[in-house]
Amino acid sequence: MNTTAHILSSIAAALLVCAPAGVLAQQAGNTAEAEAPVYPDILPLREQAKVRDSWLAQRLESVVPALMREQGVDMWVLIAREYVEDPVVATMLDARSMHARRRTILVFFDPGEGKPVERLTVSRYGLAGMFTPVWTPETQPDQWKRLAEVIAERNPHKIALNISDQTALADGLTHSQHEELIAALPEALRSRIVPAGPLAIGWLESRIPAELEVYPSIVRTAHGIIAKALSDAVITPGTTTAEDVQWWMRDKVSALGLKVWFHPSLAIFRAGQSGELTGDAVIEPGDMLWTDFGITYLGLNTDTQHLAYVLKPGESDAPEGLKAGLAAANAVQDILTAEFRVGLTGNDLLAATRARAIASGYQPSIYSHPIGFHGHGAGPAIGFWDNQEATPAGDYLVRGNTAWSIELAVTNNVPEWGDQAVSFRTEEDMVFDGEQVRYLDGRQDRFHLIKGAADRPVEVPAPAPEALPTEPVVDGVQE
């Protein structure tokens, strides 16, 4: 077994050790999520680098040629400068390169006739052997002239550049670099420039089998941190604040050597309280807690929203009205994932899901999105929390081998809270293989329970003192 295969096998084995029986096989439609999961060990950085470089080599060999041929593009030129990173270039650099160096130029060229796609870099260095360096500054000091020569030598029919007015993820070529490139090219080649939108989006959104083998353990890690944060190990009712939990999560991720891609959210929902409580608000028995949390590990991201309940004295579970709200959110998740089809747009999924959910009596707000190299990943948006209508970002087509955050909210009235309307927000990560949907590490279908107050004795109000007998009064005169 080679080193990379051994590493991948070790990650999978760690996931198996941590998962309880009955939730190991995440088959299509399997939504079981482990209660209070333990996360796998985090790989040392050297081993992480080996895994990521192995994935990159496989992606460059398979994803790029397939996309270029699908789109009828024979050359793709990517240009990034140090500290002004192109989102696509940042994902094409090996684990030791990390960032663009001075100016990094990558060129893919498909010569046709079944020949391999060339991978070139107009720089001194070959980027871990994954790109062939084709520039010697001592021979040709002008990097732009050398790039123009490389392009002219191959005489492509289409030259794709990362320029887009629709998505930042395909718009990594800065204005000054675009001007320099145009100035270096003869007019005959300038006219062949096309936007690389489908190439950039396709590269970023496509997940290869090796990534999908490990992605569940990455989500398991996020689930494990959330489970610990929303437990008695971190929360003491009457003392712990919302902000305390947020910073515990940040510290925990940092201690593991990982990163969050946004500051965690923690909000308190309380009977009789309109809106949510945050910041220095103290968590009390009877509160519902909501968190939004995402980590980055091995270059891939997670995005999860979970709910917790703080038990009151004498309680062993959340009130039925809160559990009904979570069940309603799960039901709308099912409606959305059942609509996934290759070739539909995000707007199609949004409209169909809303129609079915509303007809079923739910009050949904749907704002799901792709996930992968970025938390809000490349691909079609499925609604936005502040816009439930079709949008240009939802016009992209759904493709297979893509990962998604199924993010939405359902508003339900809670009888135990005086029929108060409460928003039940949920978000779980899943993969769509082109035919079936499966959650990467299950989904939440029961509340995390904070039990700190549950064992306190239930306070029973003292009986009112017995009233003393009085003489009857008739017409204001005591008899």
Side-chain angles (χ1 to χ4, degrees), residues 470-474 477-479:
T470 59
E471 295 293 329
V473 175
V474 178
V477 180
Q478 189 172 20
E479 292 183 346

Side-chain angles (χ1 to χ4, degrees), residues 89-111:
V89 173
T91 66
M92 289 181 168
L93 302 178
D94 63 276
R96 290 166 181 79
S97 295
M98 299 174 70
H99 303 287
R101 186 169 180 177
R102 298 185 183 177
R103 180 187 295 111
T104 294
I105 301 177
L106 307 179
V107 179
F108 296 95
F109 176 65
D110 183 3

Side-chain angles (χ1 to χ4, degrees), residues 105 121-123 133-136 140-154 184:
I105 301 177
T121 178
V122 184
S123 69
V134 290
W135 180 44
T136 305
Q140 169 54 275
D142 191 320
Q143 191 177 15
W144 292 112
K145 286 185 178 179
R146 180 58 187 138
L147 174 59
E149 291 171 357
V150 168
I151 296 173
E153 288 164 5
R154 287 156 180 81

Side-chain angles (χ1 to χ4, degrees), residues 432-443:
F432 176 56
D433 66 8
E435 296 182 358
Q436 296 178 319
V437 164
R438 63 180 173 89
Y439 286 94
L440 287 165
D441 189 46
R443 67 168 179 194

Side-chain angles (χ1 to χ4, degrees), residues 110-163:
D110 183 3
E113 299 179 354
K115 297 177 182 177
V117 169
E118 282 189 286
R119 299 197 301 268
L120 312 172
T121 178
V122 184
S123 69
R124 293 178 182 269
Y125 314 104
L127 302 174
M130 297 190 196
F131 293 83
T132 301
V134 290
W135 180 44
T136 305
E138 292 76 12
T139 303
Q140 169 54 275
D142 191 320
Q143 191 177 15
W144 292 112
K145 286 185 178 179
R146 180 58 187 138
L147 174 59
E149 291 171 357
V150 168
I151 296 173
E153 288 164 5
R154 287 156 180 81
N155 194 28
H157 300 291
K158 290 183 180 180
I159 306 168
L161 302 178
N162 286 358
I163 48 177

Side-chain angles (χ1 to χ4, degrees), residues 422-468:
V422 177
S423 176
F424 293 85
R425 306 169 187 168
T426 186
E427 183 173 19
E428 296 287 5
D429 299 330
M430 68 84 168
V431 61
F432 176 56
D433 66 8
E435 296 182 358
Q436 296 178 319
V437 164
R438 63 180 173 89
Y439 286 94
L440 287 165
D441 189 46
R443 67 168 179 194
Q444 183 184 29
D445 60 3
R446 67 193 70 182
F447 281 86
H448 298 279
L449 297 176
I450 293 93
K451 304 171 183 178
D455 295 332
R456 296 177 192 168
V458 178
E459 296 182 7
V460 179
E466 190 173 331
L468 296 175

